[in-house]
Amino acid sequence: MIPGGGQPNMQQLLQQAQKMQQDLARAQQELAATEVDGQAGGGLVKATVTGSGELRALVIDPKAVDPEDTETLADLVVAAVKAANDNAQQLQQAKLGPLAQGLGGGMPGLGF
C-alpha cells in the first residue's frame, strides 16, 4: 500500500525493476572483466582473479620452488588465491552492494 491510500503505479514499479535488473547485469559484466590480485610469501606467489572470482593467472617465483618442500609452495598458492578471492569479494560488495540495497535487502550467496 502507498501512504495516503493510493495504489502503487505498476508501470512505474515495472520500469524501476527493469532498470535495477539492467544495472545489476551491467555491474556483473564489469566484475567479470575486472581483475584483482592477491599474493603470499612476500610476493613469491601471485594470483589474479576476476571480480566474479574466476582464477585467471598464477605466477610462482622460482625462489619459492623447493622440490623437497612442496607443501610450503602449496600453502603459498592457496594463500595467494584466497587473498585474490577476498579482494574480488570486496569488489563485489562495492559494485553490487548498492544495487542490493535498492532491492530491499541483501543478495543471497554474495555475502551481503
Side-chain angles (χ1 to χ4, degrees):
M1 299 281 303
I2 302 291
Q7 293 295 318
N9 181 332
M10 294 307 286
Q11 181 68 23
Q12 185 178 17
L13 288 174
L14 180 59
Q15 288 173 347
Q16 288 175 343
Q18 287 173 336
K19 182 185 181 321
M20 288 171 42
Q21 187 177 21
Q22 290 169 349
D23 291 346
L24 180 59
R26 188 177 315 108
Q28 288 173 328
Q29 288 173 342
E30 289 175 16
L31 284 171
T34 303
E35 293 183 347
V36 293
D37 296 315
Q39 61 179 340
L44 291 175
V45 177
K46 297 177 185 175
T48 302
V49 299
T50 64
S52 58
E54 177 187 347
L55 181 63
R56 288 274 176 96
L58 186 63
V59 178
I60 301 172
D61 187 305
K63 294 178 206 161
V65 180
D66 178 356
E68 305 217 2
D69 186 16
T70 57
E71 187 175 312
T72 297
L73 177 57
D75 289 344
L76 291 174
V77 169
V78 169
V81 172
K82 181 183 180 324
N85 279 325
D86 289 347
N87 291 336
Q89 186 173 19
Q90 289 175 5
L91 182 62
Q92 287 174 1
Q93 289 176 344
K95 288 271 187 196
L96 300 178
L99 294 173
Q101 291 173 356
L103 294 171
M107 299 186 73
L110 292 178
F112 46 98

